[in-house]
Amino acid sequence: RGCPMTCAFCQWGDQRADRVYGAEYLTAHLRGMQRARVNNVFFTDAAFNLSARGFRNLMEAERAVGALSNCIVRGHFYPTHVKEEHLEFLALVREAQVSIGIQSFDPEVLRALGRPFDPVRFERVLRELRGRIPIDVELIYGLPGDNPDSFRRTLDKTMELADGVRIFFPLVLPDALLERVDEFAIRFDPETFEVQECRGWSARDLRDGWERLVRLTEGLHNHVIASNWLGFVTPSAVSRSGGERPAQDVAPIPAELVEPLTTSLGEAVSGWSIAGARRDSEALLVDLGCPTGTLVLEVLPSREGARSFARRDGFAYSYRGTVDRSTVGQLGRVIDAIHPATVRLLAATSGR
């Protein structure tokens, strides 16, 4: 528990990193998860591979129980410490979704922020992982000491190497950048803790650059645009999966055909509604109203290796729009409620 590093942008603080759960405890915990039929697991420690002792205990427990073989497992890797044993662990789980927090490809920026990083080794590791598990790379936009040109190079490199990208707006957190505001000439919003300007970034740089990132994200596959972070699947990953689809004319679907979707959703999930649906040659696009605004739900036949938010009976569901944690949880229930009617609507409109 905890992290052995003290990166200036991170709020792990002074939690000790030498305390780990034993194999016996983890075995009991995994058995409890197995009895409860858990099928989604999030690792909330710093990374799978930052504690060799903790990882060995987890491997021993999983080999004894096999609970994770039925789970989607989400977690983080520290970028340059990936070994074969970590990949062997991921091979034990049903599906792995791994994030790697790079933050920046500029070694000088990371060095100033207390983050050791070997870019050459990292690129080698990432190329070794490609095709074995999907990799999301996380970046922080507007880090003190970085600048717009350097971040652009980081993003270009990330788009080339990663399957998915998440970009976070910087926060001035206690036990982190808040302790170094003078050193990095940071001005920040005292209510949101968002950086307003800092060394390397003027207020205009931060504002205009973020707007450009939003516009870029809007045009990419399976994108998410939230208040202080963005996410998308990279074009190179879509191409590798065979999922690149040419732009098609999108035709609205008559209201009477959409009515079964509306009826099936009903009051199943409070605060959600269906505003309409459209169809191109392959996908069904459903316009959803939700507590955070609007989402577009894209439904199409699933492809091996192509990424999606959810899969049901050979169909893949992805979304476009802004979500938060509660919205994401509700969206799964919305899909469950409308899925049978969605399949029928896809069949009924297949010639459109």
Side-chain angles (χ1 to χ4, degrees):
R1 292 172 285 177
C3 181
M5 297 184 294
T6 55
C7 307
F9 48 77
C10 183
Q11 200 190 26
W12 278 101
D14 297 325
Q15 294 187 50
R16 289 171 52 192
D18 59 347
R19 299 175 301 153
V20 300
Y21 289 116
E24 184 177 343
Y25 171 87
L26 292 172
T27 298
H29 193 64
L30 288 173
R31 284 180 177 148
M33 290 166 52
Q34 196 173 54
R35 287 193 297 271
R37 298 183 179 181
V38 169
N39 56 25
N40 270 280
V41 175
F42 291 80
F43 279 77
T44 55
D45 208 344
F48 291 111
N49 59 333
L50 278 177
S51 169
R53 188 159 53 99
F55 181 78
R56 285 196 300 270
N57 292 344
L58 176 61
M59 282 287 281
E60 181 181 337
E62 173 57 17
R63 286 191 178 114
V65 180
L68 300 179
S69 64
N70 296 312
C71 293
I72 299 172
V73 177
R74 298 172 171 88
H76 282 74
F77 269 154
Y78 185 70
T80 56
H81 291 176
V82 179
K83 300 178 180 178
E84 191 62 33
E85 63 184 359
H86 304 127
L87 300 180
E88 290 173 6
F89 167 72
L90 295 178
L92 297 176
V93 308
R94 189 184 95 201
E95 181 182 334
Q97 296 183 5
V98 175
S99 297
I100 296 181
I102 298 301
Q103 322 312 346
S104 172
F105 270 105
D106 189 321
E108 293 302 318
V109 172
L110 294 177
R111 189 175 297 113
L113 294 167
R115 176 66 175 268
F117 179 62
D118 181 344
V120 175
R121 185 179 178 187
F122 168 70
E123 286 192 41
R124 185 176 70 249
V125 167
L126 203 57
R127 294 185 195 281
E128 290 172 356
L129 292 175
R130 177 172 288 170
R132 303 177 70 171
I133 52 174
I135 296 293
D136 288 336
V137 168
E138 297 181 350
L139 307 175
I140 298 179
Y141 166 85
L143 279 172
D146 207 351
N147 60 71
D149 290 338
S150 174
F151 182 82
R152 192 176 301 112
R153 291 192 294 271
T154 287
L155 182 58
D156 289 344
K157 176 67 71 174
T158 303
M159 297 276 276
E160 172 194 342
L161 294 172
D163 297 300
V165 181
R166 284 196 284 271
I167 305 172
F168 297 87
F169 202 88
L171 300 180
V172 181
L173 300 175
D175 297 321
L177 284 175
L178 186 60
E179 315 304 321
R180 303 176 68 176
V181 291
D182 293 334
E183 176 186 351
F184 290 117
I186 298 172
R187 186 170 62 86
F188 65 96
D189 187 309
E191 294 185 3
T192 66
F193 289 89
E194 290 184 353
V195 173
Q196 294 175 322
E197 63 181 352
C198 62
R199 182 183 299 167
W201 298 86
S202 68
R204 182 172 181 175
D205 286 339
L206 283 172
R207 182 182 64 252
D208 293 352
W210 188 256
E211 290 175 358
R212 284 194 294 271
L213 284 174
V214 169
R215 292 195 296 272
L216 170 70
T217 301
E218 287 174 339
L220 295 172
H221 189 74
N222 205 23
H223 69 256
V224 178
I225 300 173
S227 60
N228 60 3
W229 72 277
L230 311 168
F232 52 84
V233 173
T234 62
S236 58
V238 175
S239 240
R240 287 194 297 272
S241 70
E244 189 76 72
R245 296 193 295 122
Q248 302 284 346
D249 292 332
V250 178
I253 296 174
E256 62 269 19
L257 294 180
V258 181
E259 183 61 30
L261 281 185
T262 305
T263 302
S264 62
L265 178 60
E267 299 298 323
V269 186
S270 177
W272 289 74
S273 61
I274 292 176
R278 293 158 287 149
R279 184 68 200 260
D280 68 18
S281 64
E282 188 174 12
L284 175 69
L285 304 174
V286 181
D287 297 313
L288 296 172
C290 67
T292 57
T294 60
L295 293 177
V296 176
L297 189 65
E298 181 185 66
V299 192
L300 71 165
S302 60
R303 294 184 178 90
E304 186 66 31
R307 306 184 71 190
S308 59
F309 172 73
R311 295 186 184 188
R312 302 286 189 275
D313 303 320
F315 292 92
Y317 288 81
S318 302
Y319 64 87
R320 308 170 191 168
T322 301
V323 297
D324 57 21
R325 282 174 292 183
S326 63
T327 306
V328 167
Q330 292 171 356
L331 182 56
R333 299 199 299 275
V334 169
I335 291 170
D336 288 337
I338 69 172
H339 174 65
T342 298
V343 173
R344 291 193 292 271
L345 184 56
L346 274 163
T349 58
S350 60
R352 289 177 179 268

